[in-house]
């Protein structure tokens, strides 16, 4: 699943035939039930589901019937499985040559289970359980749900399913846990004019003579319930074939050509992964289905053979899409296709090891993007952002280990976070660098081969890597970084001894909110390099270590290549030497030094002047990514002094003076030969300068907006969102109404969503209130309301939080049920007053289960820590600014 997460940059700065498949799967024994966490009794397990379903989209309901082949492992008088929001009809249990039994049905809504109780004991053996039932079609992405969208012909409705992590139970009574793998055969009755899509190709269709068609799909491989998929709607499909697999993209009618880039990307990625994993993609087809709307939780889902992706991460409209959109489409496809192996073919045994799915897919998306699209300039800088991306969350007391214990459905939902994805990817990147690419890949291939069609835990992967890379203490290092939370801190100092540089390294812990914390201990792989061209030396720091480098002329750089998951704190003299030679460092190491210095300064481990001086010495000719960081540093200064109008005005003048020459060098419009990074920097500088109040930039943005109203083609795709966003941020009532008119008349569902998002970005409080009021109406669409409330909270956290709580019953209907425990606290995350802490705590006490308050606690701790650190930082920043004459 591709989670909707803050980008790595932002985080650093502050997801053969069917018969043969079934036979292969059946030959692999399931993970022993006793070894796997479960919320269900262990005495019955499913082997196959035959599902018949007829959705009634008009009345948001469906009829279902399922025949489940089950093995009773020990004598029992009841069978318990998962079910949520289902109404049961006839239920019977049959055994070969035996009498059919009609059990008594009882439902536990809180536990999301149904129990079928019998008058006699069922002996161990194989049975057929048949259940007739009815269910609900929702309007948010849980279970089977409907999405309405505008077209030139009027409003249309399509149906989709979303089952991860625990919502297949809303569609079929089932053993809805990842270790209970089974095969699935799906039969769907739907309007004949509509396309029906599932994991496998269609086996047969039969018209029923009344405008309906029965579609039967081929049997699936053995898989977990959360990977089952169904979609019904007015779709078009485009395909190509590669290596015996039919690769397809599916979108609303008239839009499928906008998925052409995703189709070709899927082909390229599939080829790459077939080679990397050493096991060919095992299904006969791989579709990617584009859906209008959005979720508060995710952007795409890896259903086996039928990836679900919201349109904004799959379609590219040539009139409005830019290089960032292309990158998002490609990385999303790479992430979800990686899951076809890591997650689908081999599935974590329980949600404790979710990172095996998501951390690996996140790492693979980055690796594959760098390899297949070098023109996007990611290769030189991605390591720095990957290694640092999750540290902002991981350095707080509210963090958790990569491998974490999950006890409830809601905890499983909350496990999809920056640690699981970002830290998981960063740790993999470091470990691969530690053992070498070949050993790492050999271990991964062995792991996939051994556990195909089954379940695994993290130590199963480590065992294969350990065997592929003997003598590395690999498992011990991997356990240190996955079984305990937190960020190592490497303190480095150096001295010239007999013509060589002796580097002393000592391991501690980087923490944002616990300065007196006793450090945890890690075995940390560290690469140390002397000079720009020197060869890096690797050492495993277990408490303390030292490295000797030839010569004394160049300062030693720790974490050369920036793949290590740790912060580096240099002794003052060593930092001064590195800063003096900053321009000669590789770009990735420049970025790593800037990222670490900024983070350490923010918590008082380095002077603020160290971080700010680095940002100021970046030359005009520096890499665009470095200038992105300069803009981020100056934007952070502006934010730090928010509320102090006089000082903020002075800081803004200083920041504009620093950024304006670089922007003048780039200009407003693209030039021939501009790299992807340059084009992205241009947009970033325009946004930052606009936020800083640069009068010339704001005036030009407004001029271009007026031209856009007369001729939409006048605004290039690269600037469209930047200019519209700036205008929306600074909108008056008249401008807000112009944007509102654009939203109402837009027939593209993807652009319509963007416009309603813009309406919620206004700085003006009265306009923000209008956006909140609109969010509760039918006008924006069922999946836009919660996003609008979230957008308002960026600038007006108290307004948005108070509004959502006051209208909680309505707002609950706008949020995925799995996201509510994080949605409400998240509305207060940008607050600057401690009063928000009391509000969030009161809400959590009243409405969030004690076992599901991780996100509430994280937001509360973040607010408290930010206020505390701001008071500590202000004097240093103020002193530095005065030295600069500000």
């Amino acid at each position: 699943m591709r989670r909707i997460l803050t980008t790595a940059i932002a985080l650093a700065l502050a997801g053969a035939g069917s018969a043969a498949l079934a036979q292969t799967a059946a030959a692999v024994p399931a993970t022993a039930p006793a070894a796997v966490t479960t919320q269900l009794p262990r005495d019955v397990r499913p082997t196959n589901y035959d599902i018949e379903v007829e959705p009634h989209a008009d009345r948001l309901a469906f009829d279902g019937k399922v025949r489940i082949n089950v093995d009773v492992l020990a004598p029992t008088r009841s069978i318990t499985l998962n079910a949520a929001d289902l109404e049961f009809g006839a239920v019977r249990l049959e055994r070969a040559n035996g009498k059919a039994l009609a059990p008594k049905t009882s439902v536990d809504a809180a536990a999301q289970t149904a129990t079928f109780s019998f008058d006699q004991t069922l002996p161990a053996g194989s049975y057929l359980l048949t259940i007739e039932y009815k269910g609900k079609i929702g309007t948010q992405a849980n279970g089977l749900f409907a999405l309405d969208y505008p077209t030139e012909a009027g409003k249309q409705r399509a149906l989709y399913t979303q089952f991860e992590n625990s919502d297949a139970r809303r569609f079929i009574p089932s053993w809805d846990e990842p270790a209970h793998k089974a095969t699935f055969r799906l039969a769907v009755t739907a309007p004949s004019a509509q396309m029906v899509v599932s994991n496998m190709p269609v086996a047969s269709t039969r018209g029923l003579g009344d405008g309906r068609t029965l579609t039967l799909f081929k049997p699936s491989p053995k898989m977990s319930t959360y990977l089952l998929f169904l979609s019904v709607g007015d779709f078009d499909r485009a395909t190509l074939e590669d290596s015996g697999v039919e690769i397809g993209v599916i979108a609303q009618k008239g839009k499928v050509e906008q998925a052409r880039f995703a189709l070709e990307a899927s082909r390229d990625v599939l080829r790459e992964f077939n080679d990397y994993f050493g096991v060919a993609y095992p299904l006969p087809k791989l579709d990617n289905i584009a859906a209008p709307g959005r979720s508060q939780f995710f952007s795409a889902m890896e259903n086996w053979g039928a990836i679900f992706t919201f349109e904004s991460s799959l379609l590219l409209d040539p009139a409005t899409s830019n290089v960032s959109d292309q990158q998002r489409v490609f990385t999303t496809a790479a992430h979800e296709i990686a899951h076809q192996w890591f997650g689908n073919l081999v599935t974590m045994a329980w949600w404790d090891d979710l990172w095996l799915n998501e951390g690996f897919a996140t790492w693979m998306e980055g690796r594959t993007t760098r390899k297949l699209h070098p023109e996007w300039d990611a290769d030189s800088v991605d390591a720095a952002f990957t290694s640092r991306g999750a540290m902002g969350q991981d350095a707080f007391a509210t963090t958790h280990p990569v491998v974490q214990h999950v006890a409830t459905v809601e905890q499983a939902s909350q496990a999809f976070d920056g640690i699981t994805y970002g830290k998981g990817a960063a740790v993999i990147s470091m470990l691969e660098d530690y053992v070498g690419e070949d050993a790492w890949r050999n271990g991964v291939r062995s792991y996939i081969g051994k556990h195909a069609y089954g379940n695994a835990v993290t130590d199963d992967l480590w065992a294969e890597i350990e065997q592929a890379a003997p003598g590395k203490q690999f498992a011990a290092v991997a356990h240190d970084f996955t079984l305990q939370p937190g960020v190592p801190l490497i303190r480095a100092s150096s001295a010239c001894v007999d013509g060589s540089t002796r580097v002393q390294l000592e391991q501690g812990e980087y923490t944002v909110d616990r300065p007196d914390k006793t450090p945890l201990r890690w075995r940390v792989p560290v690469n140390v390099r002397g000079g720009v061209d020197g060869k890096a030396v690797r050492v495993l720091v277990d408490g303390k270590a030292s490295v000797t480098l030839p010569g004394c002329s160049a300062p030693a750089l720790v974490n050369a290549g920036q793949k290590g998951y740790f912060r580096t704190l240099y002794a003052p003299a060593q930092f001064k030497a590195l800063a003096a030679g900053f321009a000669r460092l590789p770009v990735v190491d420049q970025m790593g030094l800037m990222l670490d210095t900024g983070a350490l300064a923010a918590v008082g481990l380095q002077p603020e002047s160290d971080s700010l001086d680095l940002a100021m010495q970046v030359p005009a000719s520096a890499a665009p990514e470095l200038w992105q960081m300069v803009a981020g540093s100056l934007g952070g200064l502006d934010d730090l002094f928010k509320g102090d109008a006089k000082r903020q005005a002075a800081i803004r003048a200083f920041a504009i003076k620093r950024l304006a020459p670089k922007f003048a060098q780039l200009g407003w419009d693209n030039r021939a030969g501009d790299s992807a990074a340059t084009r992205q920097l241009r947009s970033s500088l325009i946004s930052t300068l606009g936020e800083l109040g640069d009068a010339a930039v704001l005036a030009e943005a407004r001029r271009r907006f007026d031209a856009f109203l007369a001729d939409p083609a006048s605004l290039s795709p690269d600037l469209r969102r930047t200019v519209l966003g700036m205008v929306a941020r600074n909108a008056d009532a008249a401008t807000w109404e112009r944007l509102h008119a654009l939203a109402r008349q837009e027939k593209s569902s993807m652009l319509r969503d963007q416009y309603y998002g813009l309406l919620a970005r206004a700085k003006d409080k009265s306009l923000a209130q209008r956006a909140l009021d609109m969010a509760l109406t039918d006008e924006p669409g069922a999946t836009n309301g919660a996003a609008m409330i979230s957008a308002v909270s960026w600038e007006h956290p108290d307004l948005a939080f108070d509004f959502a709580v006051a209208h909680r019953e309505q707002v609950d209907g706008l949020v995925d049920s799995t996201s509510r425990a994080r949605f409400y606290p998240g509305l207060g995350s940008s607050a600057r007053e401690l009063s928000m802490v009391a509000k969030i705590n009161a809400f959590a006490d009243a409405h969030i289960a004690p076992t599901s308050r991780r996100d509430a606690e994280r937001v509360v701790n973040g607010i408290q820590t930010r206020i505390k650190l701001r008071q500590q930082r202000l004097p240093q920043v103020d002193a530095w600014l005065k030295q600069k004459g500000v």
Side-chain angles (χ1 to χ4, degrees):
M1 181 187 291
R2 184 72 180 270
R3 270 288 315 281
I4 296 177
L5 294 172
T6 307
T7 64
I9 292 177
L11 282 171
L13 292 172
S18 56
L21 283 172
Q23 291 168 5
T24 303
V28 179
T31 303
V36 178
T37 300
T38 178
Q39 296 174 337
L40 294 171
R42 300 177 186 272
D43 52 7
V44 180
R45 68 181 176 193
T47 59
N48 177 73
Y49 296 84
D50 283 322
I51 306 163
E52 300 174 20
V53 65
E54 181 174 10
H56 307 289
D58 56 338
R59 52 188 174 90
L60 294 179
F62 67 93
D63 299 318
K65 181 178 182 179
V66 62
R67 299 175 182 87
I68 311 174
N69 297 97
V70 299
D71 290 336
V72 174
L73 305 178
T76 183
R77 298 191 67 168
S78 65
I79 295 175
T80 298
L81 45 60
N82 292 115
D85 291 331
L86 299 179
E87 178 185 335
F88 290 94
V91 180
R92 68 179 183 274
L93 184 73
E94 301 171 81
R95 193 174 186 182
N97 302 319
K99 180 181 178 182
L101 303 176
K104 177 182 177 183
T105 302
S106 59
V107 173
D108 186 333
Q112 298 186 342
T113 60
T115 298
F116 306 119
S117 302
F118 300 88
D119 294 333
Q120 62 191 66
T121 298
L122 306 176
S126 297
Y127 295 82
L128 179 64
L129 176 64
T130 302
I131 307 169
E132 296 178 10
Y133 62 98
K134 297 179 182 295
K136 301 174 182 177
I137 298 175
T139 57
Q140 303 299 325
N142 303 104
L144 177 62
F145 64 99
L147 292 175
D148 295 339
Y149 56 95
T151 71
E152 295 292 344
K155 187 169 73 173
Q156 298 292 324
R157 171 171 289 176
L159 304 179
Y160 308 88
T161 58
Q162 168 57 29
F163 293 155
E164 191 177 32
N165 46 273
S166 307
D167 284 317
R169 63 194 64 181
R170 300 180 187 277
F171 182 67
I172 45 169
S174 57
W175 281 259
D176 192 18
E177 297 182 345
H180 286 291
K181 287 193 167 186
T183 52
F184 295 81
R185 289 188 295 186
L186 180 63
V188 182
T189 300
S192 300
Q194 295 190 323
M195 184 183 295
V196 184
V197 185
S198 189
N199 306 79
M200 299 296 290
V202 172
S204 65
T205 59
R206 178 167 60 90
L208 301 181
D210 57 0
R212 298 178 302 153
T213 293
L214 174 65
T215 301
L216 177 66
F217 292 92
K218 292 181 178 181
S220 78
K222 189 177 181 182
M223 66 185 191
S224 303
T225 50
Y226 77 87
L227 297 172
L228 183 65
F229 180 75
L230 170 65
S231 185
V232 181
D234 294 316
F235 302 143
D236 287 330
R237 183 172 185 248
T239 65
L240 54 80
E241 186 168 321
D242 194 81
S243 302
V245 177
E246 185 178 79
I247 304 168
V249 286
I250 296 169
Q252 57 173 285
K253 283 187 177 294
K255 299 290 186 182
V256 76
E257 278 306 307
Q258 294 184 13
R260 179 65 57 178
F261 177 80
L263 178 63
E264 295 173 356
S266 296
R267 174 200 60 206
D268 297 343
V269 170
L270 199 62
R271 286 177 184 172
E272 174 67 18
F273 289 173
N274 279 334
D275 175 67
Y276 186 86
F277 289 117
V279 175
Y281 174 76
L283 273 66
K285 66 102 172 173
L286 176 61
D287 279 321
N288 201 336
I289 300 94
R294 67 181 78 194
S295 164
Q296 295 302 301
F297 184 43
F298 72 105
S299 60
M301 172 61 203
E302 66 268 18
N303 314 295
W304 214 354
I307 297 168
F308 171 93
T309 306
F310 284 107
E311 287 179 342
S312 59
S313 293
L314 184 66
L315 304 186
L316 294 174
D317 184 337
T320 61
S321 299
N322 57 33
V323 67
S324 296
D325 297 317
Q326 286 184 320
Q327 292 171 346
R328 182 173 62 255
V329 168
F330 185 88
T331 56
T332 300
H335 183 105
E336 303 306 334
I337 295 174
H339 276 310
Q340 307 302 298
W341 285 265
F342 253 87
N344 299 5
L345 185 60
V346 182
T347 311
M348 75 266 146
W350 181 248
W351 303 106
D352 293 11
D353 290 290
L354 175 64
W355 91 280
L356 279 176
N357 289 14
E358 301 300 350
F360 208 96
T362 303
W363 177 74
M364 284 296 286
E365 79 177 61
R367 175 192 179 278
T368 308
T369 301
R370 292 191 297 273
K371 181 175 181 179
L372 299 185
H373 282 284
E375 76 278 9
W376 287 341
D377 311 316
D379 192 47
S380 63
V381 300
D382 194 58
F385 289 138
T386 297
S387 63
R388 304 323 195 276
M391 289 183 183
Q393 179 178 346
D394 201 23
F396 279 85
T398 49
T399 189
H400 61 83
V402 169
V403 178
Q404 56 186 307
H405 179 59
V406 170
T408 68
V409 167
E410 214 165 28
Q411 285 181 1
S413 299
Q414 293 180 335
F416 292 81
D417 67 0
I419 301 300
T420 297
Y421 286 72
K423 184 176 181 179
V427 168
I428 289 172
S429 181
M430 178 182 68
L431 293 176
E432 184 211 31
D433 184 62
Y434 179 52
V435 302
E437 291 183 6
D438 290 342
W440 178 265
R441 184 177 62 181
N442 289 340
V444 167
R445 285 179 168 182
S446 180
Y447 166 83
I448 293 290
K450 283 188 178 182
H451 298 282
Y453 302 100
N455 298 84
V457 296
T458 297
D459 275 346
D460 292 327
L461 175 60
W462 293 162
E464 302 308 314
I465 305 291
E466 179 97 12
Q467 186 171 347
K472 288 277 190 178
Q473 300 184 55
F474 174 80
V477 174
H479 284 153
D480 285 351
F481 281 89
T482 55
L483 298 182
Q484 62 184 359
V487 182
L489 175 69
I490 299 296
R491 297 177 183 268
S493 61
S494 63
C496 184
V497 180
D498 298 329
S500 298
T501 300
R502 174 63 64 87
V503 184
Q504 300 290 340
L505 304 171
E506 183 176 357
Q507 179 254 305
E509 183 174 356
Y510 167 73
T511 177
V512 173
D513 57 347
R514 295 158 293 168
D516 300 324
K517 180 182 184 295
T518 300
L520 296 175
R521 187 161 176 169
W522 294 262
R523 279 153 283 203
V524 186
V526 178
N527 294 333
V528 185
R529 188 182 69 234
V532 175
D533 301 320
K535 183 179 179 180
V537 177
R538 178 180 287 119
V539 61
L540 192 64
V541 180
D542 185 2
K544 293 183 179 181
S546 64
V547 175
T548 299
L549 303 173
C552 293
S553 60
L557 178 80
V558 177
N559 203 5
Q562 304 303 312
K563 291 190 175 181
Y565 188 79
F566 58 88
R567 300 280 190 194
T568 304
L569 175 59
Y570 293 99
Q574 190 175 353
F575 177 82
K576 184 177 180 181
L578 281 168
F582 180 78
R584 298 189 295 275
L585 295 174
V587 173
V588 68
D589 293 322
Q590 289 177 317
M591 298 184 72
L593 186 61
M594 290 182 71
L595 288 166
D596 281 350
T597 304
L600 294 167
V603 298
L605 291 175
Q606 267 188 268
E608 289 280 355
S609 57
D610 284 355
S611 175
L612 296 169
D613 285 340
L614 277 182
M616 292 308 104
Q617 74 179 62
V618 172
S621 59
E625 293 84 1
L626 289 174
W627 272 100
Q628 291 268 22
M629 296 185 65
V630 173
S633 295
L634 294 172
L637 282 184
D638 177 57
D639 189 66
L640 191 67
F641 283 88
K642 193 171 185 178
D644 184 340
K646 182 177 180 181
R647 290 302 283 151
Q648 190 175 42
I651 290 161
R652 289 184 167 188
F654 173 79
I656 291 169
K657 184 178 180 181
R658 173 67 172 142
L659 297 177
K662 181 63 181 179
F663 177 56
Q665 182 188 75
L666 297 180
W668 272 85
D669 299 304
N670 292 339
R671 300 170 183 173
D674 278 351
S675 67
T678 296
R679 292 157 65 185
Q680 290 168 319
L681 174 61
R682 177 181 289 111
S683 294
S684 180
L685 288 176
I686 292 170
S687 294
T688 302
L689 287 166
E691 196 65 24
L692 291 169
D694 186 306
V697 168
L698 288 172
E700 179 62 11
R702 183 56 186 259
R703 186 194 69 77
R704 289 179 181 242
F705 175 66
D706 290 339
F708 166 80
L709 293 176
D711 177 15
S714 67
L715 197 53
S716 73
D718 279 310
L719 291 182
R720 187 179 183 280
R721 246 167 285 178
T722 301
V723 168
L724 293 180
M726 194 183 310
V727 168
R729 285 279 289 153
N730 296 280
D732 57 16
T735 303
W736 195 88
E737 283 299 346
R738 292 187 184 98
L739 290 168
H740 189 194
L742 291 173
R744 284 197 304 261
Q745 69 192 29
E746 183 56 59
K747 300 304 181 185
S748 162
S749 54
M750 193 160 58
L751 295 183
R752 183 175 180 273
D753 290 349
Q754 291 177 16
Y755 283 130
Y756 279 105
L758 289 172
L759 292 174
R761 295 185 60 185
K763 293 179 184 178
D764 184 279
K765 190 172 182 179
S766 64
L767 297 177
Q769 183 62 59
R770 291 179 65 181
L772 291 174
D773 294 336
M774 185 184 295
L776 298 187
T777 69
D778 293 335
E779 181 187 330
T783 65
N784 279 323
M788 292 179 70
I789 298 171
S790 291
V792 169
S793 76
W794 301 344
E795 181 71 25
H796 309 282
D798 285 283
L799 183 69
F801 184 88
D802 293 346
F803 178 87
V805 172
H807 300 85
R808 188 174 62 85
E809 185 174 343
Q810 290 171 274
V811 172
D812 275 357
L814 303 176
V815 182
D816 305 351
S817 62
T818 52
S819 301
R820 291 170 190 161
R822 68 163 56 94
F823 177 79
Y824 288 94
L827 297 176
S829 59
S830 64
R832 298 170 178 274
E833 303 293 337
L834 288 175
S835 56
M836 179 59 75
V837 168
K839 292 181 183 180
I840 293 173
N841 284 334
F843 180 87
D845 288 343
H847 303 296
I848 303 177
T851 55
S852 304
R853 294 181 185 174
R854 175 187 291 170
D855 287 288
E857 292 166 356
R858 178 181 54 79
V859 172
V860 163
N861 192 34
I863 295 169
Q864 292 170 328
T865 303
R866 182 168 61 248
I867 292 170
K868 180 180 178 181
L869 291 180
R870 180 177 183 270
Q871 296 306 314
Q872 295 175 5
R873 296 179 64 194
L874 279 173
Q876 285 194 60
V877 175
D878 211 23
W880 183 85
L881 290 168
K882 288 179 180 177
Q883 287 182 351
K884 302 299 180 184
V886 180

